[in-house]
Amino acid sequence: TTKYIQESSHCIAISDEMALEYQNRYGKYFNVIRNGASPEYFPIAIDTQDAHKKDLTICYLGRIYSWLHYDSLRLLGSAVELCQLQGVRWKVKLYGTVDEKDLCSSGILTANVSYEGQVGEAEGVALLRAADLLVVPLTYNDAELENYKLSFPTKLSQFLATGKPVLLLSSPTAASAKFCMRHNVGKLIGTPSLDEIIAYLKLLWYNPALGHTQGLHNIQICRELLDLEKIRYNFQKLLVEL
């Protein structure tokens, strides 16, 4: 591997942390080309309607793995249950590919946390836009995260592009968490704190303008750094240079 990297004209990584790790490991510069969001994820207009008269929806769309997602989903579910007791009515809807039998026996699903199955891309975009909060639930276990932490999930780019507030539940060692901290996008809760999650859900419930403000900033950063068309253009330029 080292031989091929050293002989390459260009090397590419999908996160800043991956680029730094590989530069240190192989002594070779790595360009950062992240997984971006395609145009359909960016909204035409931001919905600023205050929807307190209904339950608010937290949406996750993507693959669901027990080792990567379950602990944060359980934590989020507990926060939602406690919020419901206080009249703060959030519900969690999960979409995507999962071992359904395993998920059903995990204790995650409740009256307020449901698995809604798999959806196509167009329906998925519509579901993200209809949600009040999007969640990226990653593990807080650094040992479990070790082989994933340098990755940059496409769903993070897509979620940020929608203009909806995004909640990231993750160890701060993950590249996605560091991106959010570096660019002040989304809301990172970097420790498995039930109280912090509840406080954030209450904040959005009682002051939805904060979510709208976060969403606008998310879009701005996405346009600058995570726009798939710009990323594709830069990648094509790199190929031409070869």
Side-chain angles (χ1 to χ4, degrees), residues 184-215:
N184 194 30
V185 292
K187 168 64 176 180
L188 170 66
I189 295 181
T191 59
S193 171
L194 188 61
D195 289 342
E196 285 189 50
I197 298 173
I198 292 171
Y200 183 64
L201 295 182
K202 285 183 175 180
L203 195 63
L204 291 184
W205 175 265
Y206 290 114
N207 191 358
L210 293 176
H212 304 321
T213 299
Q214 186 208 117

Side-chain angles (χ1 to χ4, degrees), residues 132-197:
D132 301 287
L133 174 63
L134 307 178
V135 64
V136 180
L138 302 179
T139 182
Y140 289 100
N141 185 324
D142 286 329
E144 291 283 358
L145 195 63
E146 182 62 29
N147 293 326
Y148 182 86
K149 69 180 182 179
L150 300 179
S151 183
F152 193 92
T154 305
K155 69 176 68 65
L156 177 60
S157 299
Q158 294 169 341
F159 288 10
L160 292 171
T162 64
K164 295 293 183 176
V166 176
L167 173 61
L168 179 62
L169 304 176
S170 170
S171 164
T173 64
S176 49
K178 290 184 178 181
F179 180 89
C180 288
M181 289 187 285
R182 187 178 301 120
H183 299 287
N184 194 30
V185 292
K187 168 64 176 180
L188 170 66
I189 295 181
T191 59
S193 171
L194 188 61
D195 289 342
E196 285 189 50
I197 298 173

Side-chain angles (χ1 to χ4, degrees), residues 3-208:
K3 176 178 179 291
Y4 292 132
I5 290 174
Q6 293 293 339
E7 293 176 352
S8 297
S9 299
H10 291 285
C11 295
I12 294 170
I14 61 172
S15 73
D16 299 271
E17 285 66 36
M18 183 181 288
L20 182 60
E21 170 70 22
Y22 289 172
Q23 284 165 197
N24 291 337
R25 187 182 302 179
Y26 300 111
K28 182 85 172 181
Y29 176 75
F30 277 72
N31 293 281
V32 178
I33 297 183
R34 302 178 186 88
N35 294 316
S38 51
E40 60 268 24
Y41 286 90
F42 291 90
I44 298 172
I46 300 294
D47 180 11
T48 58
Q49 183 179 2
D50 188 342
H52 277 339
K53 298 300 181 183
K54 63 177 181 65
D55 290 331
L56 299 187
T57 301
I58 304 169
C59 178
Y60 172 80
L61 171 61
R63 289 186 177 273
I64 304 173
Y65 296 108
S66 59
W67 63 273
L68 184 60
H69 300 114
Y70 276 16
D71 57 350
S72 285
L73 287 175
R74 286 192 189 93
L75 197 63
L76 179 62
S78 296
V80 164
E81 295 297 328
L82 291 170
C83 282
Q84 286 276 351
L85 295 176
Q86 300 173 52
V88 178
R89 302 188 306 275
W90 289 94
K91 288 187 178 294
V92 181
K93 294 186 180 297
L94 309 175
Y95 300 88
T97 305
V98 68
D99 182 331
E100 289 190 50
K101 184 177 180 181
D102 185 49
L103 181 63
C104 289
S105 63
S106 67
I108 291 171
L109 303 182
T110 66
N112 296 307
V113 181
S114 60
Y115 172 63
E116 304 291 332
Q118 300 181 49
V119 296
E121 184 174 8
E123 185 182 355
V125 172
L127 288 167
L128 295 178
R129 289 180 176 171
D132 301 287
L133 174 63
L134 307 178
V135 64
V136 180
L138 302 179
T139 182
Y140 289 100
N141 185 324
D142 286 329
E144 291 283 358
L145 195 63
E146 182 62 29
N147 293 326
Y148 182 86
K149 69 180 182 179
L150 300 179
S151 183
F152 193 92
T154 305
K155 69 176 68 65
L156 177 60
S157 299
Q158 294 169 341
F159 288 10
L160 292 171
T162 64
K164 295 293 183 176
V166 176
L167 173 61
L168 179 62
L169 304 176
S170 170
S171 164
T173 64
S176 49
K178 290 184 178 181
F179 180 89
C180 288
M181 289 187 285
R182 187 178 301 120
H183 299 287
N184 194 30
V185 292
K187 168 64 176 180
L188 170 66
I189 295 181
T191 59
S193 171
L194 188 61
D195 289 342
E196 285 189 50
I197 298 173
I198 292 171
Y200 183 64
L201 295 182
K202 285 183 175 180
L203 195 63
L204 291 184
W205 175 265
Y206 290 114
N207 191 358

